[in-house]
Amino acid sequence: GEDVEQSLFLSVREGDSSVINCTYTDSSSTYLYWYKQEPGAGLQLLTYIFSNMDMKQDQRLTVLLNKKDKHLSLRIADTQTGDSAIYFCAESIVIGGSYIPTFGRGTSLIVHP
Amino acid sequence: ETGVTQTPRHLVMGMTNKKSLKCEQHLGHNAMYWYKQSAKKPLELMFVYSLEERVENNSVPSRFSPECPNSSHLFLHLHTLQPEDSALYLCASSQDGAGIGEAFFGQGTRLTVV
C-alpha cells in the first residue's frame, strides 16, 4: 500500500470549513507537513506539525495529529475561492541517513460560490 | 520566486530524442531531488542527492539518468522515453539535517513524449 493516503477530491462552498484527512505509515517521522500546489506551480509548504504535538493553529489553518492512529488532518476555516488547489500530506522518511519528504496523491480542493 | 528554478517549463520530445531537464537552487541547500507527478498517482520520488552523492534511486528505468555536478545544480537526462513517461517533473531541494526538513520546489517541467 501507499505510505501516505488521502482522498482525491473535496468540494466545499465558499465560506464553509474544509477538512482534508490523511493517514501515514512512518511513526518515526519527526515532522508532518501539508503542502499546497496551485495550478501550473510546484508544491509549497503550507504548514507543519511537530510529531509530539496534537494540534497546531495558524490563522485559518488548524492541523490535528492523532499519532496513535497515524492520522493527520488539515482544517481550513472560511474557505475562499483562492484556496482551490491540490493539498498534499507528507511525512519524512529516512533514506541513506537523509530525511526525505514522502507525499500522498494529493487532495484537490474545489471551492464554489 | 521559490529559489528553485527549472528549465525548460515545457518539453515535447519524440521517443528517439535525447534531452535534459535542468534544476538550479540558490538557497544553499545540500540535498536535491527529482519527483515525477502523474495524474491520480502519488508524487513519485525518483532520485535523491545529498552532498552531491546519490542516496536513492527508486527503481527508476535507466532511460532516466540523473547528474549532480555540484550542490546547486541537478540534471535529469532523458533518452528513448515512452509515452507513459509524460508527466510533470518536479525538482526540490532542502537542507538535510537542519530545520524542519522543508522541501522547496521548482515549478516543474511538463514533459510530453510523442
Side-chain angles (χ1 to χ4, degrees):
Chain A
E2 294 171 13
D3 294 325
V4 179
E5 293 192 6
Q6 47 184 132
S7 54
L8 290 181
F9 298 100
L10 176 65
S11 178
V12 300
R13 189 173 297 173
E14 190 174 17
D16 287 351
S17 292
S18 308
V19 179
I20 303 172
N21 295 300
C22 163
T23 55
Y24 61 96
T25 57
D26 191 342
S27 57
S28 66
S29 191
T30 305
Y31 295 96
L32 293 143
Y33 314 87
W34 284 103
Y35 283 76
K36 179 182 180 182
Q37 184 181 32
E38 298 188 357
L43 282 67
Q44 194 162 9
L45 183 67
L46 187 64
T47 187
Y48 67 95
I49 188 166
F50 191 47
S51 60
N52 69 354
M53 295 172 63
D54 298 323
M55 185 181 87
K56 178 180 179 182
Q57 187 141 6
D58 184 2
Q59 299 182 338
R60 291 190 297 122
L61 306 178
T62 303
V63 179
L64 295 177
L65 174 60
N66 181 330
K67 206 170 177 185
K68 174 176 166 289
D69 295 337
K70 296 181 186 172
H71 183 266
L72 185 72
S73 69
L74 173 70
R75 178 176 180 270
I76 306 174
D78 187 25
T79 314
Q80 302 298 306
T81 54
D83 295 323
S84 294
I86 305 175
Y87 291 81
F88 290 87
C89 171
E91 59 179 350
S92 281
I93 61 172
V94 178
I95 301 174
S98 296
Y99 283 86
I100 311 299
T102 302
F103 296 86
R105 297 183 180 208
T107 299
S108 290
L109 174 64
I110 301 160
V111 183
H112 53 91
Chain B
E1 172 60 53
T2 64
V4 180
T5 306
Q6 289 186 244
T7 53
R9 291 292 309 278
H10 300 273
L11 177 62
V12 179
M13 60 185 287
M15 288 189 284
T16 58
N17 290 160
K18 289 185 181 181
K19 295 285 183 184
S20 296
L21 309 185
K22 180 183 176 183
C23 177
E24 188 172 357
Q25 59 100 359
H26 308 281
L27 301 167
H29 289 163
N30 60 9
M32 296 185 76
Y33 322 84
W34 281 115
Y35 288 90
K36 176 184 178 183
Q37 186 176 24
S38 306
K40 298 178 184 175
K41 293 177 74 173
L43 208 58
E44 297 174 60
L45 180 65
M46 300 177 72
F47 300 104
V48 178
Y49 278 82
S50 179
L51 299 172
E52 298 159 45
E53 286 191 17
R54 191 191 304 181
V55 297
E56 175 73 355
N57 174 0
N58 227 7
S59 302
V60 179
S62 59
R63 56 186 185 270
F64 295 91
S65 173
E67 179 190 1
C68 186
N70 55 61
S71 59
S72 300
H73 293 86
L74 185 65
F75 294 90
L76 188 63
H77 303 300
L78 317 171
H79 65 96
T80 59
L81 294 192
Q82 304 298 310
E84 60 265 27
D85 297 322
S86 298
L88 182 68
Y89 288 84
L90 291 164
C91 173
S93 71
S94 68
Q95 185 60 21
D96 199 14
I100 64 165
E102 177 182 357
F104 290 78
F105 282 81
Q107 291 184 294
T109 295
R110 173 68 63 185
L111 174 67
T112 303
V113 181
V114 297

